[in-house]
Amino acid sequence: MTSPILPEHAWFNEARYGLFIHWGAYSVAGRGEWFRNRERIPQDEYARLYAENFRAENYDPSAWAALAKEAGMGYVVLTTRHHDGFALWPTKQGGFHAGKIGPKRDLVGPFVEAVRAAGLKVGLYYSPADWSHPDYPGPFFRDWPSEKDWASPEARERFIAYYKAQLVELMSNYGKIDYLWFDGCIPDDLQREDVNEELLRLQPDLLINERNGPPSHVKVSEQAIRAPKDKTALWEACMTLNGNWGWHAGDHQWKNAHEVIKMLCETAKDGGNLLLNVGPKPDGTIPAESVNVLREAGEWLRRNREAIVNSERSPFSWNNWGRITVKGSRIYLHIRNGTGPELCWAELKNRVLSARWLCDGAPVVFEQKGERLFLRGLPVPLPDPLANTLVLEVEGKPEALTTQTSFWIPGGHD
Ligand code: GLC
């Protein structure tokens, strides 16, 4: 059960949108972040061909932070250590890290500083699962080992002590950290409450996602936008911009700004965040395709920010012209499919007090006839190719005439 939102966690809903960065030794291959597992690459070969050649020569975390700002995001989450086990900071736990191999310097410290300097919240991703560690049950499971695959109970305990010590370093050496993003907490019996509790002692305001078990604060939906049942929970959908998290040189299936804004409205309509991923190249530069899409979507967000940040769970169901977000007594209609000068929306119980465009405040003519709201004089075609946001001020708290009763296919209607 998730506890009510604490004031120190309020930034999360205020942000609504964050940048996920998958970057590490795997970026050298340009085949995603799982290729070591898929290709059954032995540790010495992985270290020699990839970690050694990871140089981070154009690493400029202030450029990452500037991009996140331009995109309209409120936080950035970096993979400090992915399943390959290669730590981006000079950890004292073992020798497989960026201080010793590859870049031969700390990459986490400059990231934290740059993100904080840009006024953004700092998120660190960490995967306990570690394919490089002798006590972790094997790197080549398809996909994950199970609880019975530990070599012995002692191996499991040693491994837990190791990953806990790495996390203690991350939570002790870089000042305030806002968000710990756990992934790869598998097998389940490596999850330990005492680990999360210890980290919260070190960083009392820290948000922790749910993947390492309790105590945690943020529910996660991966490559899907699915709000949790608990309507008070903080939640986040993490999504890729193409089909991969880590840099993949052959994956050109980029989402466009239209799809990004659609995803953002979709998460915001249920009061959740969108954590959108980029996979920088090994030198540290973010692929131009990602940069362009983030900037374009950012321009939309500059015009329509109010409709996204701190949005509440919308009581409204689907329609075939766009998405609806809600905050206080305001309803934001994000119209994507314009079909003419008139739009009829027949889902609202409240009396409408005013209607206007969010971007310039121009009033919109409306008429409420019984259960139907007519909005008139809409421009044809609608000017904004990403989404045209119209604000309704209503009497009282927005309510739907009837709640959704039957199933519906998410995303299938517009
Ligand atoms: C998965 C993958 C991983 C990726 C993560 C992001 O759990 O194992 O590669 O980092 O999802 O959510």
Side-chain angles (χ1 to χ4, degrees):
M1 186 56 203
T2 316
S3 46
I5 297 164
L6 301 169
E8 55 271 29
H9 296 162
W11 67 265
F12 191 77
N13 283 334
E14 176 66 34
R16 270 291 164 267
Y17 188 28
L19 184 65
F20 209 176
I21 302 181
H22 275 69
W23 189 53
Y26 45 83
S27 312
V28 173
R31 300 198 292 276
E33 77 289 357
W34 267 78
F35 77 100
R36 178 178 178 208
N37 170 292
R38 300 290 96 178
E39 300 174 22
R40 293 181 185 261
I41 299 172
Q43 174 63 12
D44 55 347
E45 185 180 326
Y46 187 79
R48 188 166 35 84
L49 293 185
Y50 306 105
E52 293 280 355
N53 289 315
F54 178 48
R55 295 291 154 78
E57 58 272 36
N58 293 311
Y59 179 42
D60 179 5
S62 57
W64 291 358
L67 176 65
K69 280 245 35 123
E70 232 187 308
M73 293 162 162
Y75 60 113
V76 188
V77 181
L78 171 67
T79 50
T80 61
R81 183 162 84 49
H82 205 269
H83 315 329
D84 67 351
F86 186 72
L88 298 193
W89 78 101
T91 175
K92 297 205 164 51
Q93 319 305 315
F96 197 45
H97 61 78
K100 189 173 164 203
I101 303 170
K104 298 207 165 53
R105 61 192 165 112
D106 181 17
L107 302 173
V108 173
F111 166 82
V112 173
E113 273 169 38
V115 171
R116 202 183 285 129
L120 299 163
K121 298 291 179 189
V122 177
L124 302 182
Y125 163 112
Y126 181 86
S127 159
D130 183 336
W131 297 325
S132 76
H133 196 281
D135 285 325
Y136 191 72
F140 306 131
F141 281 92
R142 312 233 141 175
D143 296 306
W144 295 103
S146 78
E147 297 183 2
K148 60 179 179 3
D149 293 314
W150 295 103
S152 64
E154 294 72 30
R156 182 176 77 94
E157 284 306 317
R158 272 196 307 270
F159 185 76
I160 290 169
Y162 154 77
Y163 94 74
K164 182 174 179 179
Q166 283 205 324
L167 282 164
V168 166
E169 290 178 357
L170 285 173
M171 295 300 137
S172 309
N173 298 345
Y174 298 106
K176 188 170 161 64
I177 303 299
D178 301 293
Y179 190 14
L180 173 59
W181 213 100
F182 270 118
D183 184 31
C185 304
I186 305 170
D188 287 354
D189 63 355
L190 64 61
Q191 300 172 18
R192 282 261 289 261
E193 274 189 56
D194 62 289
V195 173
N196 290 18
E197 278 162 4
E198 170 74 16
L199 303 176
L200 283 168
R201 265 192 295 279
L202 295 168
Q203 296 276 347
D205 295 347
L206 186 70
L207 279 177
I208 304 183
N209 79 356
E210 64 184 335
R211 290 193 166 164
N212 203 41
S216 74
H217 318 92
V218 181
K219 307 231 175 264
V220 177
S221 138
E222 180 173 321
Q223 295 290 43
I225 298 175
R226 211 171 290 128
K229 286 207 180 75
D230 175 358
K231 294 198 173 170
T232 64
L234 296 175
W235 74 277
E236 179 185 63
C238 59
M239 308 287 291
T240 49
L241 258 183
N242 55 2
N244 279 276
W245 299 98
W247 161 242
H248 195 302
D251 181 351
H252 305 294
Q253 304 295 313
W254 299 100
K255 296 184 179 82
N256 58 33
H258 191 256
E259 290 162 289
V260 168
I261 294 305
K262 183 176 176 180
M263 293 191 293
L264 190 56
C265 292
E266 181 78 25
T267 48
K269 93 172 170 53
D270 283 325
N273 286 14
L274 176 64
L275 182 63
L276 191 57
N277 182 73
V278 294
K281 295 177 184 175
D283 70 346
T285 56
I286 297 177
E289 293 89 338
S290 305
V291 172
N292 295 339
V293 171
L294 293 181
R295 285 196 177 135
E296 202 188 325
E299 278 169 33
W300 182 92
L301 198 53
R302 254 191 292 289
R303 295 190 290 275
N304 298 293
R305 185 166 197 84
E306 176 197 311
I308 300 296
V309 301
N310 272 324
S311 59
E312 293 152 19
R313 284 232 185 177
S314 154
F316 304 110
S317 68
W318 65 272
N319 63 70
N320 46 17
W321 46 258
R323 286 288 177 273
I324 300 169
T325 57
V326 162
K327 180 160 51 179
S329 59
R330 290 187 179 173
I331 301 171
Y332 302 90
L333 311 180
H334 305 278
I335 309 171
R336 300 152 47 82
N337 303 333
T339 50
E342 184 175 282
L343 187 145
C344 172
W345 182 42
E347 215 190 347
L348 180 65
K349 198 170 179 180
N350 312 62
R351 195 163 77 87
V352 177
L353 304 174
S354 71
R356 61 180 168 86
W357 293 109
L358 183 57
C359 61
D360 61 5
V364 174
V365 176
F366 69 93
E367 187 185 358
Q368 269 184 301
K369 274 198 203 160
E371 297 181 328
R372 307 173 76 197
L373 169 68
F374 293 90
L375 296 155
R376 304 223 167 88
L378 310 185
V380 181
L382 287 164
D384 194 327
L386 301 192
N388 300 262
T389 304
L390 199 154
V391 197
L392 302 177
E393 190 76 51
V394 302
E395 206 173 67
K397 193 175 151 50
E399 275 183 83
L401 282 168
T402 47
T403 49
Q404 178 84 35
T405 45
S406 58
F407 78 94
W408 71 295
I409 302 164
H413 298 277
D414 76 318

